[in-house]
PDB file of all heavy atoms in Angstrom:
ATOM      1  N   LEU C   5      21.715  -9.704  10.938  1.00 98.00           N
ATOM      2  CA  LEU C   5      21.713  -8.494  11.737  1.00 98.00           C
ATOM      3  C   LEU C   5      21.946  -7.313  10.831  1.00 98.00           C
ATOM      4  O   LEU C   5      22.988  -7.251  10.124  1.00 98.00           O
ATOM      5  CB  LEU C   5      22.828  -8.547  12.822  1.00 98.00           C
ATOM      6  CG  LEU C   5      23.010  -7.299  13.654  1.00 98.00           C
ATOM      7  CD1 LEU C   5      21.753  -7.013  14.476  1.00 98.00           C
ATOM      8  CD2 LEU C   5      24.222  -7.454  14.561  1.00 98.00           C
ATOM      9  N   SER C   9      21.421   3.695  10.535  1.00 95.00           N
ATOM     10  CA  SER C   9      21.652   5.013  11.150  1.00 95.00           C
ATOM     11  C   SER C   9      20.527   5.933  10.684  1.00 95.00           C
ATOM     12  O   SER C   9      19.806   5.592   9.731  1.00 95.00           O
ATOM     13  CB  SER C   9      23.009   5.559  10.819  1.00 95.00           C
ATOM     14  OG  SER C   9      23.144   5.770   9.443  1.00 95.00           O
ATOM     15  N   ASP C  12      16.077   8.707  13.814  1.00 91.00           N
ATOM     16  CA  ASP C  12      15.654   9.785  14.720  1.00 91.00           C
ATOM     17  C   ASP C  12      14.300   9.478  15.330  1.00 91.00           C
ATOM     18  O   ASP C  12      13.497   8.713  14.762  1.00 91.00           O
ATOM     19  CB  ASP C  12      15.547  11.094  13.997  1.00 91.00           C
ATOM     20  CG  ASP C  12      16.866  11.487  13.272  1.00 91.00           C
ATOM     21  OD1 ASP C  12      17.924  11.161  13.855  1.00 91.00           O
ATOM     22  OD2 ASP C  12      16.807  12.040  12.188  1.00 91.00           O
ATOM     23  N   LYS C  15      11.012   9.480  13.406  1.00 91.00           N
ATOM     24  CA  LYS C  15      10.836   8.407  12.373  1.00 91.00           C
ATOM     25  C   LYS C  15      10.351   7.100  12.992  1.00 91.00           C
ATOM     26  O   LYS C  15       9.962   6.196  12.267  1.00 91.00           O
ATOM     27  CB  LYS C  15      12.167   8.141  11.640  1.00 91.00           C
ATOM     28  CG  LYS C  15      12.663   9.330  10.864  1.00 91.00           C
ATOM     29  CD  LYS C  15      14.007   9.081  10.292  1.00 91.00           C
ATOM     30  CE  LYS C  15      14.575  10.331   9.660  1.00 91.00           C
ATOM     31  NZ  LYS C  15      15.965  10.160   9.289  1.00 91.00           N
ATOM     32  N   ILE C  20       7.892   1.677  12.652  1.00 94.00           N
ATOM     33  CA  ILE C  20       7.166   0.553  13.273  1.00 94.00           C
ATOM     34  C   ILE C  20       5.979   0.144  12.404  1.00 94.00           C
ATOM     35  O   ILE C  20       5.753  -1.027  12.145  1.00 94.00           O
ATOM     36  CB  ILE C  20       6.727   0.939  14.677  1.00 94.00           C
ATOM     37  CG1 ILE C  20       7.944   1.048  15.632  1.00 94.00           C
ATOM     38  CG2 ILE C  20       5.694  -0.085  15.249  1.00 94.00           C
ATOM     39  CD1 ILE C  20       7.655   1.653  16.979  1.00 94.00           C
ATOM     40  N   THR C  22       5.617   0.532   9.228  1.00 96.00           N
ATOM     41  CA  THR C  22       6.159  -0.082   7.996  1.00 96.00           C
ATOM     42  C   THR C  22       6.595  -1.523   8.269  1.00 96.00           C
ATOM     43  O   THR C  22       6.336  -2.418   7.480  1.00 96.00           O
ATOM     44  CB  THR C  22       7.306   0.754   7.424  1.00 96.00           C
ATOM     45  OG1 THR C  22       6.825   2.046   7.130  1.00 96.00           O
ATOM     46  CG2 THR C  22       7.860   0.099   6.171  1.00 96.00           C
ATOM     47  N   GLY C  25       3.260  -3.497   8.818  1.00 97.00           N
ATOM     48  CA  GLY C  25       2.360  -3.517   7.650  1.00 97.00           C
ATOM     49  C   GLY C  25       2.994  -4.024   6.363  1.00 97.00           C
ATOM     50  O   GLY C  25       2.290  -4.539   5.510  1.00 97.00           O
ATOM     51  N   VAL C  27       6.966  -5.035   6.065  1.00 97.00           N
ATOM     52  CA  VAL C  27       8.141  -5.948   6.191  1.00 97.00           C
ATOM     53  C   VAL C  27       7.757  -7.355   6.656  1.00 97.00           C
ATOM     54  O   VAL C  27       8.134  -8.351   6.044  1.00 97.00           O
ATOM     55  CB  VAL C  27       9.200  -5.307   7.097  1.00 97.00           C
ATOM     56  CG1 VAL C  27      10.361  -6.279   7.328  1.00 97.00           C
ATOM     57  CG2 VAL C  27       9.679  -3.984   6.525  1.00 97.00           C
ATOM     58  N   ASP C  35      10.542 -18.962   2.431  1.00 96.00           N
ATOM     59  CA  ASP C  35      10.825 -20.239   3.091  1.00 96.00           C
ATOM     60  C   ASP C  35      11.904 -20.020   4.133  1.00 96.00           C
ATOM     61  O   ASP C  35      12.882 -19.326   3.877  1.00 96.00           O
ATOM     62  CB  ASP C  35      11.303 -21.279   2.083  1.00 96.00           C
ATOM     63  CG  ASP C  35      10.183 -21.739   1.165  1.00 96.00           C
ATOM     64  OD1 ASP C  35       9.005 -21.665   1.562  1.00 96.00           O
ATOM     65  OD2 ASP C  35      10.501 -22.209   0.049  1.00 96.00           O
ATOM     66  N   GLY C  36      11.715 -20.594   5.296  1.00 97.00           N
ATOM     67  CA  GLY C  36      12.736 -20.546   6.322  1.00 97.00           C
ATOM     68  C   GLY C  36      12.659 -19.378   7.269  1.00 97.00           C
ATOM     69  O   GLY C  36      13.416 -19.304   8.227  1.00 97.00           O
ATOM     70  N   GLY C  39      11.515 -15.496  12.345  1.00 95.00           N
ATOM     71  CA  GLY C  39      11.196 -14.434  13.325  1.00 95.00           C
ATOM     72  C   GLY C  39      11.890 -13.153  13.005  1.00 95.00           C
ATOM     73  O   GLY C  39      12.790 -13.084  12.166  1.00 95.00           O
ATOM     74  N   LEU C  43      15.151  -3.357  16.994  1.00 96.00           N
ATOM     75  CA  LEU C  43      15.779  -2.694  18.141  1.00 96.00           C
ATOM     76  C   LEU C  43      15.962  -1.225  17.779  1.00 96.00           C
ATOM     77  O   LEU C  43      16.335  -0.906  16.650  1.00 96.00           O
ATOM     78  CB  LEU C  43      17.142  -3.340  18.429  1.00 96.00           C
ATOM     79  CG  LEU C  43      17.123  -4.858  18.638  1.00 96.00           C
ATOM     80  CD1 LEU C  43      18.558  -5.381  18.706  1.00 96.00           C
ATOM     81  CD2 LEU C  43      16.389  -5.189  19.946  1.00 96.00           C
ATOM     82  N   ARG C  46      17.430   5.274  20.920  1.00 85.00           N
ATOM     83  CA  ARG C  46      17.081   6.703  20.760  1.00 85.00           C
ATOM     84  C   ARG C  46      18.295   7.589  20.907  1.00 85.00           C
ATOM     85  O   ARG C  46      18.443   8.539  20.154  1.00 85.00           O
ATOM     86  CB  ARG C  46      16.015   7.069  21.793  1.00 85.00           C
ATOM     87  CG  ARG C  46      15.337   8.339  21.559  1.00 85.00           C
ATOM     88  CD  ARG C  46      14.223   8.570  22.553  1.00 85.00           C
ATOM     89  NE  ARG C  46      13.394   7.367  22.671  1.00 85.00           N
ATOM     90  CZ  ARG C  46      12.108   7.290  22.312  1.00 85.00           C
ATOM     91  NH1 ARG C  46      11.525   8.355  21.853  1.00 85.00           N
ATOM     92  NH2 ARG C  46      11.438   6.206  22.475  1.00 85.00           N
ATOM     93  N   SER C  50      20.110   5.205  16.218  1.00 94.00           N
ATOM     94  CA  SER C  50      20.415   3.973  15.474  1.00 94.00           C
ATOM     95  C   SER C  50      19.361   2.932  15.717  1.00 94.00           C
ATOM     96  O   SER C  50      18.625   2.972  16.704  1.00 94.00           O
ATOM     97  CB  SER C  50      21.819   3.482  15.834  1.00 94.00           C
ATOM     98  OG  SER C  50      21.850   3.043  17.171  1.00 94.00           O
ATOM     99  N   ALA C  51      19.287   1.999  14.812  1.00 96.00           N
ATOM    100  CA  ALA C  51      18.339   0.877  14.929  1.00 96.00           C
ATOM    101  C   ALA C  51      19.002  -0.381  14.375  1.00 96.00           C
ATOM    102  O   ALA C  51      19.958  -0.293  13.592  1.00 96.00           O
ATOM    103  CB  ALA C  51      17.058   1.206  14.182  1.00 96.00           C
ATOM    104  N   ILE C  54      16.879  -7.858  13.510  1.00 98.00           N
ATOM    105  CA  ILE C  54      17.397  -9.228  13.520  1.00 98.00           C
ATOM    106  C   ILE C  54      16.346 -10.078  12.826  1.00 98.00           C
ATOM    107  O   ILE C  54      15.183 -10.122  13.282  1.00 98.00           O
ATOM    108  CB  ILE C  54      17.644  -9.744  14.940  1.00 98.00           C
ATOM    109  CG1 ILE C  54      18.657  -8.840  15.662  1.00 98.00           C
ATOM    110  CG2 ILE C  54      18.076 -11.206  14.916  1.00 98.00           C
ATOM    111  CD1 ILE C  54      18.753  -9.093  17.147  1.00 98.00           C
ATOM    112  N   LEU C  56      15.445 -13.859  11.779  1.00 97.00           N
ATOM    113  CA  LEU C  56      15.808 -15.249  12.093  1.00 97.00           C
ATOM    114  C   LEU C  56      15.400 -16.147  10.955  1.00 97.00           C
ATOM    115  O   LEU C  56      14.306 -16.003  10.378  1.00 97.00           O
ATOM    116  CB  LEU C  56      15.146 -15.689  13.374  1.00 97.00           C
ATOM    117  CG  LEU C  56      15.528 -14.862  14.625  1.00 97.00           C
ATOM    118  CD1 LEU C  56      14.666 -15.313  15.813  1.00 97.00           C
ATOM    119  CD2 LEU C  56      16.988 -15.025  14.921  1.00 97.00           C
ATOM    120  N   SER C  59      17.853 -21.836   8.423  1.00 97.00           N
ATOM    121  CA  SER C  59      19.130 -22.369   7.907  1.00 97.00           C
ATOM    122  C   SER C  59      19.911 -21.280   7.189  1.00 97.00           C
ATOM    123  O   SER C  59      19.333 -20.241   6.761  1.00 97.00           O
ATOM    124  CB  SER C  59      18.878 -23.546   6.971  1.00 97.00           C
ATOM    125  OG  SER C  59      18.316 -23.102   5.743  1.00 97.00           O
ATOM    126  N   GLY C  72      17.556  -5.587  -2.301  1.00 94.00           N
ATOM    127  CA  GLY C  72      16.988  -4.477  -3.033  1.00 94.00           C
ATOM    128  C   GLY C  72      15.731  -3.919  -2.378  1.00 94.00           C
ATOM    129  O   GLY C  72      15.542  -2.693  -2.295  1.00 94.00           O
ATOM    130  N   ARG C  74      15.054  -4.068   0.804  1.00 95.00           N
ATOM    131  CA  ARG C  74      15.498  -3.389   2.034  1.00 95.00           C
ATOM    132  C   ARG C  74      15.929  -1.960   1.753  1.00 95.00           C
ATOM    133  O   ARG C  74      15.584  -1.035   2.452  1.00 95.00           O
ATOM    134  CB  ARG C  74      16.628  -4.169   2.672  1.00 95.00           C
ATOM    135  CG  ARG C  74      17.168  -3.583   3.941  1.00 95.00           C
ATOM    136  CD  ARG C  74      18.338  -4.370   4.502  1.00 95.00           C
ATOM    137  NE  ARG C  74      18.021  -5.802   4.663  1.00 95.00           N
ATOM    138  CZ  ARG C  74      18.660  -6.773   4.030  1.00 95.00           C
ATOM    139  NH1 ARG C  74      19.646  -6.527   3.205  1.00 95.00           N
ATOM    140  NH2 ARG C  74      18.323  -8.010   4.216  1.00 95.00           N
ATOM    141  N   GLN C  76      15.041   0.006  -0.758  1.00 95.00           N
ATOM    142  CA  GLN C  76      13.870   0.846  -1.076  1.00 95.00           C
ATOM    143  C   GLN C  76      13.119   1.248   0.182  1.00 95.00           C
ATOM    144  O   GLN C  76      12.734   2.392   0.324  1.00 95.00           O
ATOM    145  CB  GLN C  76      12.896   0.067  -2.007  1.00 95.00           C
ATOM    146  CG  GLN C  76      13.416  -0.118  -3.398  1.00 95.00           C
ATOM    147  CD  GLN C  76      12.419  -0.916  -4.207  1.00 95.00           C
ATOM    148  OE1 GLN C  76      11.829  -1.870  -3.742  1.00 95.00           O
ATOM    149  NE2 GLN C  76      12.254  -0.527  -5.453  1.00 95.00           N
ATOM    150  N   ILE C  77      12.834   0.292   1.039  1.00 95.00           N
ATOM    151  CA  ILE C  77      12.054   0.579   2.245  1.00 95.00           C
ATOM    152  C   ILE C  77      12.796   1.535   3.163  1.00 95.00           C
ATOM    153  O   ILE C  77      12.213   2.511   3.645  1.00 95.00           O
ATOM    154  CB  ILE C  77      11.687  -0.753   2.981  1.00 95.00           C
ATOM    155  CG1 ILE C  77      10.683  -1.550   2.123  1.00 95.00           C
ATOM    156  CG2 ILE C  77      11.124  -0.437   4.354  1.00 95.00           C
ATOM    157  CD1 ILE C  77      10.489  -2.988   2.618  1.00 95.00           C
ATOM    158  N   GLY C  82      13.922   7.241   5.431  1.00 94.00           N
ATOM    159  CA  GLY C  82      14.998   8.173   5.757  1.00 94.00           C
ATOM    160  C   GLY C  82      16.107   7.545   6.614  1.00 94.00           C
ATOM    161  O   GLY C  82      16.818   8.222   7.313  1.00 94.00           O
ATOM    162  N   THR C  84      19.584   4.914   6.822  1.00 95.00           N
ATOM    163  CA  THR C  84      20.748   4.456   6.054  1.00 95.00           C
ATOM    164  C   THR C  84      21.183   3.084   6.583  1.00 95.00           C
ATOM    165  O   THR C  84      21.298   2.912   7.792  1.00 95.00           O
ATOM    166  CB  THR C  84      21.902   5.438   6.178  1.00 95.00           C
ATOM    167  OG1 THR C  84      21.459   6.716   5.728  1.00 95.00           O
ATOM    168  CG2 THR C  84      23.121   4.954   5.408  1.00 95.00           C
ATOM    169  N   LEU C  90      25.393 -11.929   8.471  1.00 98.00           N
ATOM    170  CA  LEU C  90      24.734 -13.163   8.843  1.00 98.00           C
ATOM    171  C   LEU C  90      25.523 -13.854   9.919  1.00 98.00           C
ATOM    172  O   LEU C  90      26.754 -14.006   9.797  1.00 98.00           O
ATOM    173  CB  LEU C  90      24.570 -14.079   7.603  1.00 98.00           C
ATOM    174  CG  LEU C  90      23.782 -15.354   7.821  1.00 98.00           C
ATOM    175  CD1 LEU C  90      22.323 -15.050   8.153  1.00 98.00           C
ATOM    176  CD2 LEU C  90      23.872 -16.252   6.628  1.00 98.00           C
ATOM    177  N   TYR C  91      24.844 -14.279  10.966  1.00 98.00           N
ATOM    178  CA  TYR C  91      25.468 -14.976  12.109  1.00 98.00           C
ATOM    179  C   TYR C  91      24.804 -16.316  12.304  1.00 98.00           C
ATOM    180  O   TYR C  91      23.580 -16.424  12.130  1.00 98.00           O
ATOM    181  CB  TYR C  91      25.295 -14.174  13.409  1.00 98.00           C
ATOM    182  CG  TYR C  91      26.022 -12.870  13.445  1.00 98.00           C
ATOM    183  CD1 TYR C  91      25.445 -11.692  12.943  1.00 98.00           C
ATOM    184  CD2 TYR C  91      27.295 -12.804  13.995  1.00 98.00           C
ATOM    185  CE1 TYR C  91      26.103 -10.520  12.989  1.00 98.00           C
ATOM    186  CE2 TYR C  91      27.978 -11.585  14.054  1.00 98.00           C
ATOM    187  CZ  TYR C  91      27.368 -10.441  13.574  1.00 98.00           C
ATOM    188  OH  TYR C  91      28.035  -9.238  13.595  1.00 98.00           O
ATOM    189  N   ALA C  93      23.268 -18.719  14.845  1.00 97.00           N
ATOM    190  CA  ALA C  93      22.651 -18.523  16.136  1.00 97.00           C
ATOM    191  C   ALA C  93      22.509 -19.859  16.840  1.00 97.00           C
ATOM    192  O   ALA C  93      21.490 -20.539  16.727  1.00 97.00           O
ATOM    193  CB  ALA C  93      21.281 -17.858  15.976  1.00 97.00           C
ATOM    194  N   VAL C  96      18.946 -20.072  20.629  1.00 92.00           N
ATOM    195  CA  VAL C  96      17.829 -19.154  20.515  1.00 92.00           C
ATOM    196  C   VAL C  96      16.721 -19.675  21.371  1.00 92.00           C
ATOM    197  O   VAL C  96      16.299 -20.825  21.255  1.00 92.00           O
ATOM    198  CB  VAL C  96      17.310 -19.053  19.041  1.00 92.00           C
ATOM    199  CG1 VAL C  96      16.096 -18.176  18.946  1.00 92.00           C
ATOM    200  CG2 VAL C  96      18.434 -18.545  18.126  1.00 92.00           C
ATOM    201  N   LEU C  98      13.011 -18.184  22.665  1.00 87.00           N
ATOM    202  CA  LEU C  98      12.044 -17.097  22.632  1.00 87.00           C
ATOM    203  C   LEU C  98      10.774 -17.526  23.327  1.00 87.00           C
ATOM    204  O   LEU C  98      10.190 -18.576  23.025  1.00 87.00           O
ATOM    205  CB  LEU C  98      11.734 -16.709  21.173  1.00 87.00           C
ATOM    206  CG  LEU C  98      12.908 -16.239  20.330  1.00 87.00           C
ATOM    207  CD1 LEU C  98      12.455 -16.086  18.892  1.00 87.00           C
ATOM    208  CD2 LEU C  98      13.460 -14.943  20.868  1.00 87.00           C
TER     209      LEU C  98
END
Side-chain angles (χ1 to χ4, degrees):
L5 176 64
S9 62
D12 304 325
K15 297 175 186 170
I20 290 169
T22 300
V27 175
D35 289 335
L43 306 170
R46 193 175 314 245
S50 65
I54 301 169
L56 300 173
S59 70
R74 181 183 307 118
Q76 288 177 321
I77 292 169
T84 301
L90 186 65
Y91 293 87
V96 176
L98 300 173

